[in-house]
Amino acid sequence: MNKNFLLPYWCKKVGLPVLLVGLVLLVLSWCDCTLTINDIRSLIGLNEVAVDNTPLSEFSATSDLVFTLANILFIVGACMTGLSRMKCEDEYFTRLRLNALVLSVYFYAAILILGYLFCWSISFLIFSSVSFIYPMLFFLLYFHIQVAIIRRRDAHEE
C-alpha cells in the first residue's frame, strides 16, 4: 500500500475513541433501545421535534438521526484507526495491511452471499444496513491482532 495514502500516526489515537463511541451507538440503535433524537434534545433542554406517523415510523427522521450519526462516527473512526501509519511503518506491516484488506473483502463477500440466500424483502434491508460494518471491523480486528502477535513474538525473541 502506498504510504502516501495512509493517515499520520496521530489519527489512530483520535480515531479509536470515535470508533468506540460510534460502535456503542450502533449497538444501542440496533437493540430495542429507543434512543431517538428527541431523547438527546430533551437531555440538553431543547423542544422535541414533530414525529411523523408513517407505517415505517422506526425509519422516521427523528429516530434515524442517531443511527446516521452512529454510522458516520463508526466509519470515520474505523478509517482513522485502520488507515493510519504505524509508529515504524515498514514493508512487512504494509504487506500485512494489504493481506488484512483482501481477507476482509473475502469475508464480506461471503456474508453478502449468505444475506442474498437467506434474507428477502425488508429483512434484506435491515441486513444490509447492519452488514456494512463487517469489512471494516474484520479488517481492524485481523490487522491489529496480527500486529500484536508479531510484537509479542519479537519481544520473546529479544
Side-chain angles (χ1 to χ4, degrees), residues 86 88 90-97 99-100 141-158:
M86 305 289 291
C88 54
D90 59 1
E91 293 85 19
Y92 189 73
F93 287 120
T94 302
R95 179 155 177 118
L96 187 63
R97 189 184 311 271
N99 288 343
L141 289 174
Y142 181 79
F143 178 68
H144 289 290
I145 287 172
Q146 291 298 319
V147 167
I149 289 170
I150 290 167
R151 288 188 175 159
R152 183 173 294 148
R153 184 189 65 204
D154 291 344
H156 287 296
E157 286 178 2
E158 295 175 0

Side-chain angles (χ1 to χ4, degrees), residues 1-12 14-15 75-87 89 97:
M1 174 173 273
N2 189 350
K3 291 182 187 176
N4 294 332
F5 293 125
L6 295 177
L7 298 170
Y9 175 72
W10 62 266
C11 289
K12 185 178 301 253
V14 173
I75 291 169
V76 169
C79 287
M80 289 179 78
T81 304
L83 301 176
S84 59
R85 289 184 181 94
M86 305 289 291
K87 270 189 178 178
E89 184 82 22
R97 189 184 311 271

